[in-house]
Amino acid sequence: RRMTTADGRAGGRDRIIFGDVPLRMASAGGVLLAYANGAVLTEIEGAVSVAAPGETIVLRTRWQAARRIGRDYNVSLQIIDEQGNKVAQHDAGASMSQWQPGAAAIELTHPLAIAADARPGVYRLLLVVYVPEGGFEKAAAYDERGQFAGEQITLTPLRIR
């Protein structure tokens, strides 16, 4: 369905351009995602909606430990096209085995450098938590209601112009 202009005409040659939309997700209960390994994502922050090839966007994630975490995991943010091709990725080595339950949130910074040859289109911003050695085992995530959310979480769409 096409948007209409203020005077009721169909969109035609008119267009709407949205600027950066601040991405700030946080839950009143303090849990955006709870991982099977005991890691809890409490907040995601950054400005993202439209980006250009060659641009770097920076996002921050905040984490806590619900219980002792037995091994270290990486936190990966990725920008993926409709065919599953990555145009940006940042993996933060998170020493989760050192995190203490009940301690202050740990903040990870994720600079995502978009490939200079990224084609215009709509992409997905993904979050993946995985074991860096071995077979890259992914941690299962659950939403604040305890429902399985997956191992690769789509955070938001992102337009590359």
Side-chain angles (χ1 to χ4, degrees):
R1 189 173 154 196
R2 294 193 69 143
M3 294 180 75
T4 58
T5 60
D7 61 4
R9 292 181 292 131
R13 295 172 44 96
D14 295 326
R15 62 187 178 143
I16 298 173
I17 299 173
F18 296 98
D20 282 343
V21 176
L23 174 67
R24 185 172 178 100
M25 293 186 244
S27 170
V31 176
L32 284 174
L33 293 169
Y35 283 82
N37 67 357
V40 176
L41 176 64
T42 61
E43 191 172 0
I44 302 168
E45 183 178 353
V48 61
S49 69
V50 179
E55 185 177 342
T56 298
I57 59 174
V58 178
L59 299 173
R60 288 175 189 74
T61 56
R62 289 186 186 83
W63 300 83
Q64 290 184 307
R67 62 178 184 282
R68 198 92 171 112
I69 300 171
R71 60 205 288 195
D72 290 333
Y73 288 77
N74 281 357
V75 175
S76 181
L77 288 182
Q78 305 168 13
I79 299 174
I80 309 289
D81 69 14
E82 292 177 356
Q83 291 74 40
N85 302 307
K86 293 178 195 169
V87 298
Q89 178 173 350
H90 180 265
D91 293 7
S95 301
M96 291 185 185
S97 64
Q98 304 303 309
W99 294 2
Q100 298 299 315
I106 291 97
E107 182 175 289
L108 301 176
T109 300
H110 306 273
L112 289 156
I114 299 168
D117 61 351
R119 296 189 173 282
V122 177
Y123 291 72
R124 294 180 299 142
L125 176 61
L126 290 182
L127 169 66
V128 181
V129 175
Y130 69 93
V131 177
E133 60 275 335
F136 295 102
E137 171 191 336
K138 295 177 184 116
Y142 297 84
D143 67 17
E144 61 187 7
R145 297 179 319 273
Q147 299 294 312
F148 178 69
E151 295 175 338
Q152 296 184 102
I153 308 300
T154 299
L155 298 175
T156 188
L158 169 71
R159 178 170 297 282
I160 295 181
R161 56 180 184 268

PDB file of all heavy atoms in Angstrom, residues 85-100:
ATOM      1  N   ASN A  85      24.558 -12.906   2.869  1.00  0.00           N
ATOM      2  CA  ASN A  85      25.929 -12.421   2.738  1.00  0.00           C
ATOM      3  C   ASN A  85      26.193 -11.311   3.754  1.00  0.00           C
ATOM      4  O   ASN A  85      25.380 -10.405   3.909  1.00  0.00           O
ATOM      5  CB  ASN A  85      26.184 -11.888   1.324  1.00  0.00           C
ATOM      6  CG  ASN A  85      25.932 -12.945   0.279  1.00  0.00           C
ATOM      7  OD1 ASN A  85      26.466 -14.043   0.350  1.00  0.00           O
ATOM      8  ND2 ASN A  85      25.086 -12.626  -0.686  1.00  0.00           N
ATOM      9  N   LYS A  86      27.346 -11.376   4.412  1.00  0.00           N
ATOM     10  CA  LYS A  86      27.717 -10.360   5.403  1.00  0.00           C
ATOM     11  C   LYS A  86      28.377  -9.175   4.723  1.00  0.00           C
ATOM     12  O   LYS A  86      29.259  -9.343   3.896  1.00  0.00           O
ATOM     13  CB  LYS A  86      28.705 -10.932   6.414  1.00  0.00           C
ATOM     14  CG  LYS A  86      28.126 -11.985   7.306  1.00  0.00           C
ATOM     15  CD  LYS A  86      29.185 -12.516   8.234  1.00  0.00           C
ATOM     16  CE  LYS A  86      28.686 -13.805   8.855  1.00  0.00           C
ATOM     17  NZ  LYS A  86      29.755 -14.497   9.566  1.00  0.00           N
ATOM     18  N   VAL A  87      27.934  -7.969   5.096  1.00  0.00           N
ATOM     19  CA  VAL A  87      28.610  -6.754   4.629  1.00  0.00           C
ATOM     20  C   VAL A  87      29.308  -6.046   5.788  1.00  0.00           C
ATOM     21  O   VAL A  87      30.054  -5.091   5.562  1.00  0.00           O
ATOM     22  CB  VAL A  87      27.644  -5.787   3.893  1.00  0.00           C
ATOM     23  CG1 VAL A  87      27.079  -6.448   2.641  1.00  0.00           C
ATOM     24  CG2 VAL A  87      26.549  -5.293   4.803  1.00  0.00           C
ATOM     25  N   ALA A  88      29.076  -6.515   7.008  1.00  0.00           N
ATOM     26  CA  ALA A  88      29.773  -5.986   8.186  1.00  0.00           C
ATOM     27  C   ALA A  88      29.651  -7.004   9.308  1.00  0.00           C
ATOM     28  O   ALA A  88      28.640  -7.701   9.419  1.00  0.00           O
ATOM     29  CB  ALA A  88      29.186  -4.655   8.636  1.00  0.00           C
ATOM     30  N   GLN A  89      30.693  -7.059  10.127  1.00  0.00           N
ATOM     31  CA  GLN A  89      30.667  -7.953  11.285  1.00  0.00           C
ATOM     32  C   GLN A  89      31.659  -7.444  12.318  1.00  0.00           C
ATOM     33  O   GLN A  89      32.748  -7.004  11.974  1.00  0.00           O
ATOM     34  CB  GLN A  89      31.038  -9.379  10.879  1.00  0.00           C
ATOM     35  CG  GLN A  89      31.083 -10.349  12.041  1.00  0.00           C
ATOM     36  CD  GLN A  89      31.277 -11.793  11.600  1.00  0.00           C
ATOM     37  OE1 GLN A  89      31.209 -12.121  10.416  1.00  0.00           O
ATOM     38  NE2 GLN A  89      31.521 -12.672  12.558  1.00  0.00           N
ATOM     39  N   HIS A  90      31.251  -7.509  13.576  1.00  0.00           N
ATOM     40  CA  HIS A  90      32.167  -7.229  14.678  1.00  0.00           C
ATOM     41  C   HIS A  90      31.933  -8.274  15.751  1.00  0.00           C
ATOM     42  O   HIS A  90      30.810  -8.453  16.210  1.00  0.00           O
ATOM     43  CB  HIS A  90      31.966  -5.834  15.268  1.00  0.00           C
ATOM     44  CG  HIS A  90      32.911  -5.583  16.395  1.00  0.00           C
ATOM     45  ND1 HIS A  90      32.572  -5.801  17.706  1.00  0.00           N
ATOM     46  CD2 HIS A  90      34.204  -5.176  16.393  1.00  0.00           C
ATOM     47  CE1 HIS A  90      33.616  -5.524  18.467  1.00  0.00           C
ATOM     48  NE2 HIS A  90      34.615  -5.142  17.694  1.00  0.00           N
ATOM     49  N   ASP A  91      33.004  -8.976  16.122  1.00  0.00           N
ATOM     50  CA  ASP A  91      32.938  -9.971  17.181  1.00  0.00           C
ATOM     51  C   ASP A  91      33.718  -9.445  18.381  1.00  0.00           C
ATOM     52  O   ASP A  91      34.900  -9.113  18.253  1.00  0.00           O
ATOM     53  CB  ASP A  91      33.546 -11.296  16.724  1.00  0.00           C
ATOM     54  CG  ASP A  91      32.720 -11.961  15.634  1.00  0.00           C
ATOM     55  OD1 ASP A  91      31.770 -11.339  15.147  1.00  0.00           O
ATOM     56  OD2 ASP A  91      33.030 -13.106  15.281  1.00  0.00           O
ATOM     57  N   ALA A  92      33.038  -9.359  19.508  1.00  0.00           N
ATOM     58  CA  ALA A  92      33.685  -8.919  20.743  1.00  0.00           C
ATOM     59  C   ALA A  92      33.953 -10.150  21.590  1.00  0.00           C
ATOM     60  O   ALA A  92      33.023 -10.903  21.910  1.00  0.00           O
ATOM     61  CB  ALA A  92      32.788  -7.943  21.498  1.00  0.00           C
ATOM     62  N   GLY A  93      35.203 -10.377  21.911  1.00  0.00           N
ATOM     63  CA  GLY A  93      35.547 -11.466  22.821  1.00  0.00           C
ATOM     64  C   GLY A  93      35.082 -11.084  24.211  1.00  0.00           C
ATOM     65  O   GLY A  93      35.519 -10.082  24.764  1.00  0.00           O
ATOM     66  N   ALA A  94      34.133 -11.835  24.715  1.00  0.00           N
ATOM     67  CA  ALA A  94      33.578 -11.529  26.030  1.00  0.00           C
ATOM     68  C   ALA A  94      34.050 -12.607  27.009  1.00  0.00           C
ATOM     69  O   ALA A  94      33.728 -13.769  26.830  1.00  0.00           O
ATOM     70  CB  ALA A  94      32.051 -11.489  25.969  1.00  0.00           C
ATOM     71  N   SER A  95      34.802 -12.222  27.996  1.00  0.00           N
ATOM     72  CA  SER A  95      35.315 -13.181  28.988  1.00  0.00           C
ATOM     73  C   SER A  95      34.193 -13.548  29.949  1.00  0.00           C
ATOM     74  O   SER A  95      34.249 -13.262  31.150  1.00  0.00           O
ATOM     75  CB  SER A  95      36.496 -12.562  29.740  1.00  0.00           C
ATOM     76  OG  SER A  95      37.511 -12.211  28.843  1.00  0.00           O
ATOM     77  N   MET A  96      33.154 -14.175  29.403  1.00  0.00           N
ATOM     78  CA  MET A  96      31.961 -14.456  30.200  1.00  0.00           C
ATOM     79  C   MET A  96      32.234 -15.350  31.397  1.00  0.00           C
ATOM     80  O   MET A  96      31.538 -15.260  32.405  1.00  0.00           O
ATOM     81  CB  MET A  96      30.867 -15.063  29.318  1.00  0.00           C
ATOM     82  CG  MET A  96      30.283 -14.094  28.330  1.00  0.00           C
ATOM     83  SD  MET A  96      28.890 -14.838  27.435  1.00  0.00           S
ATOM     84  CE  MET A  96      28.523 -13.529  26.280  1.00  0.00           C
ATOM     85  N   SER A  97      33.256 -16.193  31.310  1.00  0.00           N
ATOM     86  CA  SER A  97      33.567 -17.069  32.447  1.00  0.00           C
ATOM     87  C   SER A  97      34.043 -16.263  33.655  1.00  0.00           C
ATOM     88  O   SER A  97      34.019 -16.763  34.788  1.00  0.00           O
ATOM     89  CB  SER A  97      34.621 -18.111  32.050  1.00  0.00           C
ATOM     90  OG  SER A  97      35.848 -17.473  31.722  1.00  0.00           O
ATOM     91  N   GLN A  98      34.434 -15.004  33.441  1.00  0.00           N
ATOM     92  CA  GLN A  98      34.882 -14.133  34.524  1.00  0.00           C
ATOM     93  C   GLN A  98      33.766 -13.267  35.089  1.00  0.00           C
ATOM     94  O   GLN A  98      33.951 -12.595  36.107  1.00  0.00           O
ATOM     95  CB  GLN A  98      36.022 -13.230  34.033  1.00  0.00           C
ATOM     96  CG  GLN A  98      37.204 -13.977  33.455  1.00  0.00           C
ATOM     97  CD  GLN A  98      37.800 -14.967  34.446  1.00  0.00           C
ATOM     98  OE1 GLN A  98      38.098 -14.598  35.583  1.00  0.00           O
ATOM     99  NE2 GLN A  98      37.951 -16.214  34.035  1.00  0.00           N
ATOM    100  N   TRP A  99      32.617 -13.230  34.423  1.00  0.00           N
ATOM    101  CA  TRP A  99      31.508 -12.400  34.882  1.00  0.00           C
ATOM    102  C   TRP A  99      30.942 -12.940  36.186  1.00  0.00           C
ATOM    103  O   TRP A  99      30.766 -14.149  36.355  1.00  0.00           O
ATOM    104  CB  TRP A  99      30.401 -12.343  33.835  1.00  0.00           C
ATOM    105  CG  TRP A  99      30.773 -11.658  32.559  1.00  0.00           C
ATOM    106  CD1 TRP A  99      31.980 -11.116  32.217  1.00  0.00           C
ATOM    107  CD2 TRP A  99      29.926 -11.471  31.431  1.00  0.00           C
ATOM    108  NE1 TRP A  99      31.924 -10.590  30.945  1.00  0.00           N
ATOM    109  CE2 TRP A  99      30.677 -10.796  30.439  1.00  0.00           C
ATOM    110  CE3 TRP A  99      28.613 -11.799  31.142  1.00  0.00           C
ATOM    111  CZ2 TRP A  99      30.153 -10.446  29.204  1.00  0.00           C
ATOM    112  CZ3 TRP A  99      28.081 -11.455  29.915  1.00  0.00           C
ATOM    113  CH2 TRP A  99      28.846 -10.778  28.957  1.00  0.00           C
ATOM    114  N   GLN A 100      30.604 -12.033  37.083  1.00  0.00           N
ATOM    115  CA  GLN A 100      30.047 -12.419  38.377  1.00  0.00           C
ATOM    116  C   GLN A 100      28.537 -12.172  38.401  1.00  0.00           C
ATOM    117  O   GLN A 100      28.094 -11.076  38.044  1.00  0.00           O
ATOM    118  CB  GLN A 100      30.706 -11.611  39.496  1.00  0.00           C
ATOM    119  CG  GLN A 100      32.202 -11.840  39.618  1.00  0.00           C
ATOM    120  CD  GLN A 100      32.529 -13.286  39.935  1.00  0.00           C
ATOM    121  OE1 GLN A 100      31.896 -13.895  40.794  1.00  0.00           O
ATOM    122  NE2 GLN A 100      33.506 -13.847  39.236  1.00  0.00           N
TER     123      GLN A 100
END
